[in-house]
Amino acid sequence: MKMDRVRTTVTNIFGRVPLTYTRFSLTPQMDGDSSQVEMKLADEEECGDQPLGDHLVRNRSGKNGCKSLCFKALIVVLLFLIGFLIGYLTYRGRVGSEQPRNGVCPPSFNHTQFPPSKSSGLPQIPVQTLSSRDGRKLYEKLDSTGCPETWKSRCKLGNQYKVKLEVNNKYVEKKIYNVFGVIKGVDDPDRYVVVGAQRDSMSMGASKAFVGTSLLVELARMISEVVKDGYRPRCSIVFASWGAGDFGAVGATEWLEGYLTTLHLKAISYISLDAIIQGSESLQVSASPLMYSMIQKILKGIPDPVTNKPEFSYGFSMDDAAYPFLTYSGIPSVSFRFLKDKKPYAYLGTEKDTYENFRNLVNVNSMYRTAADLTGQIILRLTHDHMLPLDLNQYKSELLKRIIELDDRKTLLTSMQLNTNWMSSALGDFGRAATILKESFANTDLENKPFLRSLNDRVMKVEHSLLSPYVSPKESPFRHILYGSGNHTFDAVKKHLDLLEDNKEQFNEALFKNQLALLTWTLQSAANALEGEIWEIDNEF
């Protein structure tokens, strides 16, 4: 019953029931009430010779041929048969296109309707896992001659060697499960903060999955108690336990794919708890610039020596579940790592990642309290303040750094009769819009909730507006111009420009001009989205 209530709550927020996910599997029934979807799992379906619609027909037995039946009874039976035939023909017309052919069942809600395809977000490089023993033998035969200096490693196999690799991998489709719990908000229940953790692991997974999952459950219990004591969260809190995390955050990514066009309009932020405790000597924070100032203020209020001098970095590694939230869906995100010697846990992702070894690494109770305190305060700040505590000026500073990096190559730009003036102008519009929005918050009556909501919506759009609209989500899914991957990013433009000095033959002037123009327009679009209504925009195009 509890799970039914949770699922009902999630349905009210997202509009659908997130039971399981496979790629392109979110297909509701199109007839009747749009809130009703087919929840039958693929392996529970019956694909025998039973004709479609037979389960709707009940055999009705009666006394036939009784000459004593009155005329009124015949009329009743006749009317019933006419009504049944009309209903049956209507049903057959609706599902006729879905009728199985050659004994194949139609796909259900939880089963993909499309053939598997290669991921567009990964390079097309063949990869095969080897044992450490085989890998060591191969590495001993490698030569470092001709390898890039930055690699500081051997990379080439001598001509005298030949390697035969027998691969017996099999493609198998598996169901994955994402589990959700929700605390509904009071003022804006359709706006929410998402807190998530990977639930599974291919290894023992004590630090990789167990820590984050147990912390997620404890946070849900703790905040539920706070709500019972009278705390009224302004917006909703979604606790998400992701499946298939060790295969590249598949559960989280497929959930994002299912709500690609709507999630950025509803999700305020994502907080990742994956592998959060890997030591107890230092804290590493990876976050969107929008969350930088808020996290700094919170850390100053936590009386723990580990959090006194955190190391901040913007963006995420691709194996972090927060990466697709930021770069694919444009949702401000943050993840933490408590480390030892500023290095990842040595047993992370191995068979030695056991709870016994984890207890020898840290004081479990102490680190749990610190991690829960930090995460809990972030959640409460994001769900309590009438003005979202997201710092737009921090993004302005980060964008300015990237423009300066391009402007430092002014000589190369001038040789093509180009400059960064229009990009600087777009950044100026962004900064002015941020200042005006801050003043609007300061001068607004806190009881004017509809207007406050409209201002917060403009803040929420900032991250998503930095996703390039000029590239395909299928071909270049990580569209963020600062932290994504592809030719649309600041890093790609800078590296392309460097070819003028390093390898001029590889430089494509027409392509570079297109890159620079689209990057500038993306930045201008972000500024326009922050300003609000079109009649409030007074920019020069």
Side-chain angles (χ1 to χ4, degrees), residues 147-370:
C147 298
E149 294 182 2
T150 55
W151 287 18
K152 297 180 181 179
S153 175
R154 307 172 189 175
C155 66
K156 293 184 178 181
L157 191 65
N159 294 330
Q160 67 272 30
Y161 298 109
K162 289 185 178 181
V163 178
K164 181 181 179 181
L165 180 64
E166 182 178 338
V167 179
N168 296 309
N169 294 343
K170 294 181 179 179
Y171 287 104
V172 179
E173 185 178 296
K174 294 290 185 180
K175 292 177 186 174
I176 59 175
Y177 295 86
N178 293 329
V179 183
F180 298 91
V182 178
I183 297 175
K184 291 189 67 174
V186 176
D187 296 332
D188 297 315
D190 60 338
R191 302 289 186 267
Y192 31 84
V193 174
V194 184
V195 190
Q198 170 184 330
R199 186 177 64 256
D200 52 4
S201 176
M202 289 190 289
S203 60
M204 299 302 291
S207 64
K208 194 167 189 179
F210 170 75
V211 171
T213 298
S214 58
L215 186 59
L216 180 73
V217 174
E218 182 62 18
L219 282 167
R221 185 199 64 79
M222 179 182 69
I223 296 177
S224 296
E225 292 296 325
V226 174
V227 171
K228 289 178 182 178
D229 291 339
Y231 174 66
R232 294 165 61 84
R234 183 180 55 80
C235 57
S236 300
I237 308 169
V238 177
F239 301 92
S241 177
W242 308 119
D246 255 12
F247 292 90
V250 175
T253 302
E254 298 232 346
W255 186 66
L256 293 173
E257 289 176 345
Y259 300 101
L260 175 62
T261 58
T262 59
L263 195 60
H264 68 280
L265 300 174
K266 296 176 176 290
I268 295 170
S269 178
Y270 177 69
I271 304 169
S272 173
L273 303 179
D274 291 346
I276 188 172
I277 301 176
Q278 301 180 40
S280 57
E281 295 178 359
S282 62
L283 172 63
Q284 184 182 78
V285 181
S286 300
S288 161
L290 289 173
M291 305 183 73
Y292 177 85
S293 299
M294 176 192 65
I295 295 172
Q296 271 197 326
K297 292 178 182 177
I298 291 174
L299 289 174
K300 290 179 180 178
I302 297 178
D304 190 290
V306 182
T307 61
N308 284 343
K309 296 181 180 180
E311 291 187 2
F312 277 86
S313 63
Y314 296 141
F316 306 90
S317 61
M318 290 190 72
D319 61 348
D320 195 320
Y323 183 82
F325 273 87
L326 179 69
T327 63
Y328 180 77
S329 293
I331 298 171
S333 306
V334 60
S335 66
F336 312 100
R337 300 286 188 274
F338 291 95
L339 303 174
K340 180 180 179 181
D341 299 328
K342 298 183 179 181
K343 296 178 181 179
Y345 181 36
Y347 294 156
L348 192 68
T350 71
E351 293 299 321
K352 292 187 177 181
D353 186 12
T354 62
Y355 186 66
E356 288 73 20
N357 288 330
F358 182 70
R359 284 193 304 176
N360 295 329
L361 175 70
V362 297
N363 182 322
V364 177
N365 291 334
S366 174
M367 290 309 302
Y368 260 85
R369 283 194 297 269
T370 301

Side-chain angles (χ1 to χ4, degrees), residues 125-163:
I125 303 174
V127 176
Q128 175 60 41
T129 304
L130 300 176
S131 67
S132 58
R133 181 183 61 185
D134 291 339
R136 191 177 299 110
K137 289 181 178 179
L138 279 175
Y139 188 77
E140 291 173 351
K141 307 297 182 183
L142 296 180
D143 189 5
S144 59
T145 305
C147 298
E149 294 182 2
T150 55
W151 287 18
K152 297 180 181 179
S153 175
R154 307 172 189 175
C155 66
K156 293 184 178 181
L157 191 65
N159 294 330
Q160 67 272 30
Y161 298 109
K162 289 185 178 181
V163 178

Side-chain angles (χ1 to χ4, degrees), residues 31 52-53 90-99:
D31 55 289
L52 190 64
T90 302
Y91 172 79
R92 293 288 296 180
R94 187 175 71 244
V95 302
S97 61
E98 299 175 357
Q99 187 168 355

